[in-house]
Amino acid sequence: MKDIFTAPFVEEMKDITANMYRLGWDERNGGNISYMLDPQTVGEYLDLSHVIRTIPTGFEAKPLIGKIFIVTGTGKYFRNVEKDPERNLGIIRIAEDGTTAELLWGYSDGGKFTSELPAHLMSHMARLSVDPQNRVVMHCHPTYTLAMNFVHPLEEKAFTHTLWEMCTECIVVFPDGVGVLPWMLCGNNTIGEATAEKMKEFRLVVWGMHGLYGAGRDMDEAFGLVETVEKAAQIYMLTCNRPRLNTIRDEQMQELAEAFGVQYRKDFLNL
């Protein structure tokens, strides 16, 4: 059996959480990540027949029965994952009842997965229904995106259009736009259900006055979506109180999207 601490998926989680903390996206224990793993690969590092303990998820996720995830822990700080992954991360498998997680590794202090796990599982199911290759869901609190929530209308077309205007690459990177939810109580199934419904249409969902959800086929895609939105939001916040002399016009955004062959939200442009 290979050493779990050298597993590429553990290394990815260490690297990405350290980077997100460094960028200021995940203060204290803010933010969480779930990463669906290949069972065959995990089996090279863990005895999949050995279940340490079972933990109720508080949600029925039958489409995910047997799926294995590495998930950040509740109350855990991203800055600590790199130095102590076994305490701050856990590898879980959704049990046959669909409502229980079997702990295969991690949470060594007796902890458990993030309180947002139901929202993550719902988002995974929603994304898998439109993209069977989806594997990553991440939630964070990127500074400028959050700041933009307080000074910009929280409406999907308007929010997306403004972000698209900020950087030439934006309509190419997230041509499906950004979903937007109003402020909602976090840590419960209601916000999870609302997020999952948006995830059928968008890979990015703003939680009003809270943060951002991003989903992707791998860690790079999910992280890249978030960082591109955050860069655009930063440019907006640095310029929104000044006269705008130049902008990327809608016809130019259309030209970009069509040149790169992406399926973009035509209804989010004013043509």
Side-chain angles (χ1 to χ4, degrees):
M1 197 75 70
K2 297 179 182 178
D3 181 1
I4 185 65
F5 292 101
T6 67
F9 45 85
V10 173
E11 290 294 330
E12 278 188 275
M13 289 290 276
K14 287 165 56 179
D15 290 345
I16 207 75
T17 50
N19 203 18
M20 292 171 77
Y21 182 80
R22 178 184 60 81
L23 289 166
W25 297 357
D26 296 276
E27 72 291 336
R28 199 173 179 269
N29 63 319
N32 27 78
I33 301 174
S34 59
Y35 179 10
M36 188 167 66
L37 306 176
D38 172 51
Q40 185 174 347
T41 302
V42 180
E44 297 176 10
Y45 298 89
L46 295 175
D47 176 2
L48 300 184
S49 66
H50 177 63
V51 175
I52 299 170
R53 53 190 165 96
T54 59
I55 312 170
T57 63
F59 168 68
E60 185 177 286
K62 286 190 175 180
L64 299 177
I65 289 173
K67 301 292 187 184
I68 298 175
F69 299 86
I70 186 167
V71 187
T72 51
T74 185
K76 303 304 184 186
Y77 293 20
F78 273 24
R79 66 182 174 85
N80 293 330
V81 173
E82 190 171 32
K83 63 184 179 184
D84 193 353
E86 191 171 15
R87 180 173 181 169
N88 295 283
L89 302 174
I91 296 176
I92 62 170
R93 178 174 57 208
I94 305 303
E96 286 298 316
D97 63 6
T99 63
T100 305
E102 299 173 333
L103 181 63
L104 304 176
W105 175 84
Y107 307 140
S108 59
D109 61 350
K112 58 182 285 190
F113 41 74
T114 171
S115 62
E116 302 290 357
L117 183 67
H120 278 253
L121 297 180
M122 293 179 204
S123 292
H124 276 287
M125 290 191 296
R127 289 306 307 164
L128 288 167
S129 72
V130 295
D131 180 1
Q133 301 304 312
N134 190 97
R135 296 169 62 205
V136 175
V137 172
M138 63 173 55
H139 168 58
C140 57
H141 308 153
T143 305
Y144 288 96
T145 304
L146 186 53
M148 188 174 165
N149 281 209
F150 292 90
V151 299
H152 191 285
L154 284 175
E155 189 278 322
E156 288 163 355
K157 177 178 178 179
F159 205 89
T160 297
H161 191 276
T162 295
L163 293 171
W164 281 353
E165 287 181 306
M166 294 301 107
C167 302
T168 294
E169 67 176 346
C170 283
I171 196 170
V172 177
V173 174
F174 53 98
D176 42 344
V178 177
V180 175
L181 291 174
W183 185 91
M184 299 176 69
L185 182 65
C186 57
N188 61 36
N189 289 2
T190 302
I191 195 169
E193 290 163 0
T195 305
E197 193 60 33
K198 293 292 184 185
M199 281 281 181
K200 295 175 183 177
E201 190 175 353
F202 305 99
R203 292 172 296 160
L204 292 155
V205 180
V206 167
W207 280 10
M209 283 71 72
H210 181 148
L212 186 64
Y213 254 68
R217 295 184 171 200
D218 54 33
M219 203 71 81
D220 277 347
E221 182 180 46
F223 181 86
L225 288 168
V226 173
E227 70 176 338
T228 305
V229 166
E230 175 66 352
K231 179 63 172 287
Q234 180 179 10
I235 295 169
Y236 174 76
M237 293 303 299
L238 290 171
T239 60
C240 66
N241 62 345
R242 303 181 183 186
R244 187 183 296 187
L245 302 181
N246 305 293
T247 194
I248 303 172
R249 300 189 307 274
D250 285 55
E251 313 87 75
Q252 294 171 323
M253 288 189 271
Q254 180 185 42
E255 183 181 2
L256 271 165
E258 293 180 358
F260 281 86
V262 296
Q263 298 297 314
Y264 64 102
R265 288 290 301 259
K266 295 181 176 65
D267 57 323
F268 280 9
L269 293 179
N270 301 310
L271 295 169

